[in-house]
Amino acid sequence: MSPGDGLRMGGVRVISALLRGLWRLAGVLQRLVALLLLVALLVGGAALLYRRFHPLPEAVVLDLRIHGELREQAAPPAPVLFPSDLPVAGQTAIPDIVRALDRAAADPRIRAVWLDVETMEPVPLARIDAVAEAIDRFRSSGKPVVAYGASFSTAQYLLATSADRIVLHPTGVVALAGPAVLRHYFKSALDRLSLRATVVRAGRYKSFAEPVTREGMSDAAREAARAWLEEWWRQIKRRIAARRGIDAQRMQHLLDHPRKLAVLSHGDLAALARRERLVDLLGDRRDARRLLQRLLHRDAPLPWVESAEYLAATDRDAGGDGPTVALIRASGEIVPGKQPVSAIGARTLTDLIERAARDDSIAAVVLRIDSPGGSATAAETIHRALLRLKRRGKPLVVSMGGVAASGGYWIASAADEIWARPATLTGSIGVFALIPDLSPALEQAGIHLDGVQTTALLPIRGDRPLDAGQRALLEAGVAHIYDLFLQRVAEGRHLPRAQVERLAQGRVWSGVDALRLHLVDHLGGLGQAIAAAARRVGAHGDHYRVRTLHPEEEMWQRLAGRLLGRVAAALPTPPREVEWLLRLLWNGPWRAALSPDPRGIYAYAEL
């Protein structure tokens, strides 16, 4: 053996030993991580069991923290060691908040509510209404509510106006502004990158895909957006005027003349908010808690309990007598197949609908919809399942959340009765297809497509432009799906086809306008929709049961979901610039092309 061979063999042995050492280290780390996870699960389970069964003090303040996005869809049920009251990172479930407030209103141990909205994200006005109404019901029991914020965004402030007192930090600001629709338009950027897209739409106002075909908003899209935005703004001004005693015209004048705001405040926007009666007190968190203490006429502060902990400690099986109304929640974008609670999976939702149809103990169904739409095929699949439910003799009532538009309205049109909030965005009866075309960019990069085909018609693919035959088929398909959408609405709402065509064209309507146009039947919240469903099966007063149906999950999926939620909550929040960029990329119109639909035809609302 030469010296070189010896060196090579020595090197191989060193590398081999190093790899074996790394492998053993990986095994040790794997076992360590598994042990830590097991310990975390056991400790977390013990803590949650303590929370669930530990008695509450005789006098306590309910700590209501609205974190992240207010969402309609609550987490699915879990085993006793991992109850569903574990918070999900970046969101707060509206049903949990409403349940805690309604339960606390009748609980003599709960003396007041502390409302913390500092980390609440912007949400549709109708979602704020749902929580605000629950706060109003709590206040009607004679117990005070105090809201505190270092600063308030418009959404945060609108919810804070439900409180008896609002406290703002002395250096804070009430960043009140009217609602707006501002979209990014990418046509020039796509042209520079040699990218393009084919868009086929049905409906004059169906503007979801405009950002990839235009440099700015079309006149039709501007007209439709202005209508519901102005209705929202009227509702916001009325709410603030009624709750805070502020003149709506003065509010409009100040917000239309920001220079006057600067002069009036001398830069002290907190003092201006106090002078204009937007808030009651300027102070820090300690000052706000002292105010709450004074409202309770107590010298010593009371203990606090978070809303999730309160629910865990007071959960009981639903009581009452009378018929059972099943509540099914449909929140998120509509997609085919099975999906978690963050989206409406056609198979997941139809399984729930069919379970309700087969269950003889269920007399009626309420479907709560909060969705901008999605796959047209998935929406029709769900619609058919709802029609089968009704053929079983079970009334169907739809309750709309913040948004029930496009595919969301397609589903809703199957109902016997539709309830919406005044600020609900609905309608958007229209469809479109968005087909990306990467061929110019590929050609520019020197990548050419060639081959042999046996028929003139080929499947649509993103690396070649549509030929005349493909485009004709796509246009015919979009027209057919739009025609089916119009038919479903006409049949479900018992309206003449011509009238539906005038209301359609992809236009979005507010709940107020939808009621006037007979697209919905009543204005009201989920509780009113449930009561209406109960009345349809002969219930008197509140003599009925409500049972929420959840998708069936394997235990490992439940545990993994809870654990991942806790891990996500522990991770640092990304910088706002990064978050903005991610939202920009995801909220673009191309997300429709990324969502699976067998025909590539979508019913999305342009919000």
Side-chain angles (χ1 to χ4, degrees):
M1 180 183 294
S2 67
D5 291 337
L7 286 174
R8 281 193 295 272
M9 290 298 296
V12 169
R13 284 194 293 271
V14 169
I15 293 173
S16 177
L18 180 61
L19 290 175
R20 284 196 300 272
L22 290 174
W23 184 257
R24 284 195 294 270
L25 178 61
V28 171
L29 291 175
Q30 183 183 29
R31 288 191 290 274
L32 180 60
V33 169
L35 179 61
L36 290 174
L37 288 176
L38 177 60
V39 170
L41 291 174
L42 291 175
V43 172
L48 291 170
L49 278 175
Y50 175 80
R51 270 176 38 185
R52 174 155 291 196
F53 299 112
H54 182 68
L56 290 173
E58 289 304 312
V60 65
V61 174
L62 182 63
D63 184 4
L64 197 64
R65 301 185 185 184
I66 311 297
H67 174 62
E69 182 186 3
L70 273 172
R71 291 184 57 86
E72 286 283 348
Q73 190 82 328
V80 65
L81 282 177
F82 298 90
S84 59
D85 51 60
L86 263 175
V88 179
Q91 66 180 47
T92 299
I94 295 174
D96 292 344
I97 295 297
V98 172
R99 190 157 50 102
L101 284 164
D102 287 342
R103 191 176 295 176
D107 190 339
R109 295 170 297 181
I110 302 296
R111 304 298 175 84
V113 162
W114 169 270
L115 179 60
D116 188 335
V117 295
E118 281 193 287
T119 57
M120 172 182 160
E121 295 180 0
V123 291
L125 183 56
R127 295 188 195 173
I128 297 173
D129 285 342
V131 178
E133 288 177 4
I135 295 174
D136 289 341
R137 291 193 296 271
F138 178 86
R139 289 178 59 199
S140 67
S141 66
K143 304 173 185 180
V145 179
V146 170
Y148 171 77
S151 284
F152 291 103
S153 68
T154 299
Q156 292 167 350
Y157 181 71
L158 287 176
L159 188 53
T161 59
S162 303
D164 294 280
R165 300 287 189 275
I166 303 176
V167 182
L168 174 67
H169 194 277
T171 61
V173 59
V174 177
L176 191 60
V181 170
L182 300 172
R183 306 174 73 183
H184 291 90
Y185 291 80
F186 300 91
K187 184 178 184 304
S188 294
L190 295 177
D191 288 345
R192 292 191 183 98
L193 296 171
S194 298
L195 298 174
R196 61 191 178 199
T198 299
V199 176
V200 178
R201 67 177 184 173
R204 174 176 172 237
Y205 297 96
K206 201 68 183 174
S207 59
F208 186 90
E210 278 189 358
V212 298
T213 60
R214 296 180 56 89
E215 305 291 355
M217 185 178 282
S218 67
D219 291 339
R222 194 178 304 276
E223 174 192 347
R226 185 178 300 280
W228 65 261
L229 283 170
E230 289 180 347
E231 174 57 35
W232 266 26
W233 185 225
R234 280 192 293 270
Q235 293 183 33
I236 289 171
K237 288 189 291 187
R238 283 198 298 265
R239 174 200 297 269
I240 296 174
R243 293 176 180 268
R244 301 297 306 172
I246 301 170
D247 182 72
Q249 290 184 348
R250 176 167 176 78
M251 189 192 322
Q252 180 77 50
H253 179 74
L254 289 175
L255 294 178
D256 284 340
H257 299 86
R259 286 181 179 272
K260 180 171 287 189
L261 273 176
V263 172
L264 285 173
S265 66
H266 301 289
D268 190 347
L269 295 177
L272 178 65
R274 173 68 183 87
R275 190 162 60 249
E276 296 292 331
R277 302 194 303 278
L278 291 171
V279 301
D280 299 288
L281 176 68
L282 299 183
D284 58 19
R285 190 178 295 269
R286 184 180 178 87
D287 297 322
R289 294 192 178 192
R290 284 176 176 169
L291 171 62
L292 180 58
Q293 200 171 310
R294 290 197 300 273
L295 292 176
L296 291 171
H297 307 290
R298 299 183 70 94
D299 296 327
L302 288 175
W304 288 35
V305 59
E306 291 186 8
S307 58
E309 184 178 346
Y310 174 66
L311 286 175
T314 57
D315 267 340
R316 297 289 185 272
D317 293 332
D321 55 6
T324 297
V325 176
L327 172 61
I328 299 175
R329 297 185 181 275
S331 180
E333 296 183 5
I334 303 171
V335 295
K338 289 193 172 185
Q339 293 293 327
V341 294
S342 58
I344 303 173
R347 185 175 172 187
T348 302
L349 187 54
T350 53
D351 284 348
L352 287 178
I353 296 166
E354 289 168 1
R355 192 198 311 172
R358 293 191 304 267
D359 191 335
D360 293 335
S361 67
I362 292 174
V365 173
V366 172
L367 180 63
R368 176 69 166 182
I369 301 175
D370 192 349
S371 171
S375 162
T377 299
E380 172 64 7
T381 299
I382 297 166
H383 189 281
R384 287 170 173 266
L386 293 171
L387 293 180
R388 291 194 295 271
L389 171 86
K390 290 172 61 178
R391 285 196 290 269
R392 295 289 294 264
K394 301 192 178 186
L396 172 66
V397 175
V398 160
S399 170
M400 293 180 169
V403 180
S406 206
Y409 190 77
W410 189 319
I411 296 172
S413 65
D416 297 299
E417 190 173 329
I418 300 177
W419 287 74
R421 291 190 174 276
T424 296
L425 297 182
T426 188
S428 191
I429 303 166
V431 298
F432 70 92
L434 171 61
I435 309 297
D437 180 8
L438 306 179
S439 58
L442 294 175
E443 290 283 345
Q444 188 171 334
I447 301 172
H448 307 286
L449 182 68
D450 197 8
V452 177
Q453 59 193 76
T454 56
T455 62
L457 179 64
L458 288 178
I460 293 175
R461 35 191 293 172
D463 58 353
R464 67 190 299 269
L466 294 182
D467 58 35
Q470 289 173 322
R471 186 177 183 94
L473 276 177
L474 187 62
E475 290 174 346
V478 167
H480 170 70
I481 296 297
Y482 182 53
D483 183 75
L484 179 61
F485 198 167
L486 295 174
Q487 176 186 334
R488 291 304 193 198
V489 174
E491 292 172 351
R493 300 301 301 159
H494 308 291
L495 295 173
R497 170 65 178 255
Q499 181 177 345
V500 174
E501 288 180 357
R502 290 194 297 272
L503 304 179
Q505 303 296 326
R507 181 157 183 173
V508 176
W509 304 98
S510 70
V512 171
D513 289 332
L515 178 65
R516 174 176 56 83
L517 299 170
H518 307 291
L519 293 175
V520 304
D521 299 292
H522 307 283
L523 296 181
L526 177 59
Q528 290 158 297
I530 292 173
R535 286 194 297 272
R536 283 180 170 267
V537 290
H540 301 288
D542 58 355
H543 293 287
Y544 56 87
R545 294 184 177 92
V546 180
R547 191 203 318 167
T548 302
L549 300 186
H550 298 284
E552 294 179 352
E553 283 187 312
E554 298 293 336
M555 183 174 290
W556 70 268
Q557 291 176 310
R558 300 177 185 178
L559 298 181
R562 301 297 181 271
L563 183 60
L564 290 174
R566 301 301 286 177
V567 171
L571 294 176
T573 303
R576 286 193 175 273
E577 293 78 11
V578 174
E579 183 181 353
W580 174 85
L581 180 60
L582 292 174
R583 287 178 183 272
L584 169 64
L585 294 175
W586 174 243
N587 289 332
W590 40 74
R591 80 174 186 267
L594 299 176
S595 300
D597 180 88
R599 300 185 61 178
I601 300 176
Y602 299 90
Y604 270 106
E606 43 289 317
L607 307 176

